[in-house]
Amino acid sequence: MAQGLDAAYERMLAVATAALHEREPGRLWPLMAATLPDVCGGEVLIYKLDDWSESAGTVGTAPEAAAALDVLDEEALGLLRAGFPFAGHYGNDRDRAPVTAGRVLGAAWSESATARLVDEALDMDHVLAIPLPEATAPITGCLVYRAGTDFTDDHVRFARRVQPLLAAVDQQRQLLERWQRLVAPGAPQDVAADCGLTPRETAVLLLLTEALTAAAIGRRLGISDRTVHKHIQNVYRKMGTRDRISTVLRAQRLGLVPAPASPHRQRGGA
């Protein structure tokens, strides 16, 4: 069993690594969603990139499973967005350990409106919540569904093992989205590609502009200081620079990162 779990983790690690090389942030979670259910003992995954609430929140899945969501009306989607019973479970505790609905509610899970929807819409009986480990408010993460018997202890333990991978992918997604909001559309992505910067190196470059230490960058990205320094050295080499200041200045000139606001704008001028 241990060898099987190790092989599953290596498979998930390879998928996460591939996701971190994606330049479009919208592609990261669908990549994970295509593989994570299988290695966790499930069949379908729905990820939530915003708060688990009925009124709002991005709901996504792997492309091949998207048709199941497309046919749901707004009321049904609201039930899925709410993440019952996990929003209440995690909202009352800082523990972010994965857990199944059956373990939270017992027999009451199968009698809930959400369980009936999952059965009717997805033909599934059980759900495993895998929240992002650092999620506080809003709580974000994914829900893995399966038919038949509930998820095993090994499935739950494996889900906990892959939580850091999910957190790293989502942090990368957020950084890439922020980078795209801060810079002019199109051109910076082309410049990054022309410089040979990988998406991960682009994320490190963005954090360099915030004057974060290597340790702080590592904490944001969930990687070691050594890996951060390796990324930084690669950025210097590809940008033709030797230190942080010259790198940031060159990146600003190329439009890779936002230039500082002019003194006039900083004083509140239009």
Side-chain angles (χ1 to χ4, degrees):
M1 178 64 74
Q3 289 183 341
L5 292 177
D6 287 343
Y9 181 80
E10 290 301 319
R11 180 182 170 194
M12 202 66 239
L13 180 61
V15 173
T17 301
L20 293 176
H21 284 81
E22 280 289 340
R23 296 190 179 277
E24 288 300 323
R27 295 176 182 170
L28 273 65
W29 266 106
L31 266 177
M32 303 296 282
T35 302
L36 185 57
D38 185 40
V39 296
C40 284
E43 299 172 58
V44 177
L45 178 145
I46 292 175
Y47 53 83
K48 297 294 300 296
L49 303 184
D50 306 291
D51 196 9
W52 279 336
S53 66
E54 289 190 29
S55 59
T58 301
V59 177
T61 186
E64 59 270 22
L69 295 184
D70 291 341
V71 299
L72 298 181
D73 59 25
E74 192 59 32
E75 181 179 358
L77 280 175
L79 278 177
L80 290 181
R81 288 193 189 103
F84 177 81
F86 305 112
H89 174 76
Y90 292 117
N92 296 326
D93 196 332
R94 292 189 63 83
D95 182 16
R96 295 293 176 263
V99 68
T100 68
R103 298 184 190 200
V104 174
L105 293 180
W109 158 248
S110 61
E111 301 170 1
S112 68
T114 302
R116 289 193 295 271
L117 169 66
V118 168
D119 181 31
E120 294 170 3
L122 304 177
D123 198 22
M124 302 290 163
D125 305 305
H126 302 281
V127 54
L128 167 65
I130 314 177
L132 296 184
E134 301 300 323
T136 53
I139 299 168
T140 58
C142 53
L143 304 171
V144 183
Y145 300 86
R146 67 176 282 156
T149 58
D150 202 355
F151 293 84
T152 67
D153 290 341
D154 280 336
H155 293 145
V156 176
R157 281 193 291 268
F158 183 81
R160 183 150 200 169
R161 187 178 179 186
V162 300
Q163 276 180 302
L165 297 181
L166 303 182
V169 168
D170 197 62
Q171 180 63 241
Q172 178 78 355
R173 173 190 67 85
Q174 292 181 48
L175 285 169
L176 289 178
E177 286 183 348
R178 182 157 68 89
W179 178 57
Q180 290 185 356
R181 288 195 302 268
L182 289 172
V183 298
Q189 287 88 333
D190 294 339
V191 173
D194 290 343
C195 291
L197 294 176
T198 67
R200 199 58 158 168
E201 290 163 355
T202 303
V204 169
L205 174 60
L206 181 62
L207 294 177
L208 282 176
T209 66
E210 298 180 6
L212 296 180
T213 65
I217 292 174
R219 286 192 295 272
R220 288 280 295 274
L221 298 179
I223 57 179
S224 68
D225 292 5
R226 180 178 179 181
T227 301
V228 173
H229 283 297
K230 180 179 178 181
H231 285 315
I232 291 174
Q233 291 304 315
N234 286 340
V235 171
Y236 289 174
R237 175 174 55 80
K238 293 176 180 181
M239 298 286 290
T241 54
R242 295 185 177 182
D243 55 52
R244 180 188 294 245
I245 293 177
S246 61
T247 300
V248 171
L249 290 174
R250 177 162 173 73
Q252 288 172 343
R253 287 196 296 271
L254 291 173
L256 279 170
V257 297
S262 67
H264 178 64
R265 293 186 65 85
Q266 289 176 343
R267 288 194 299 268

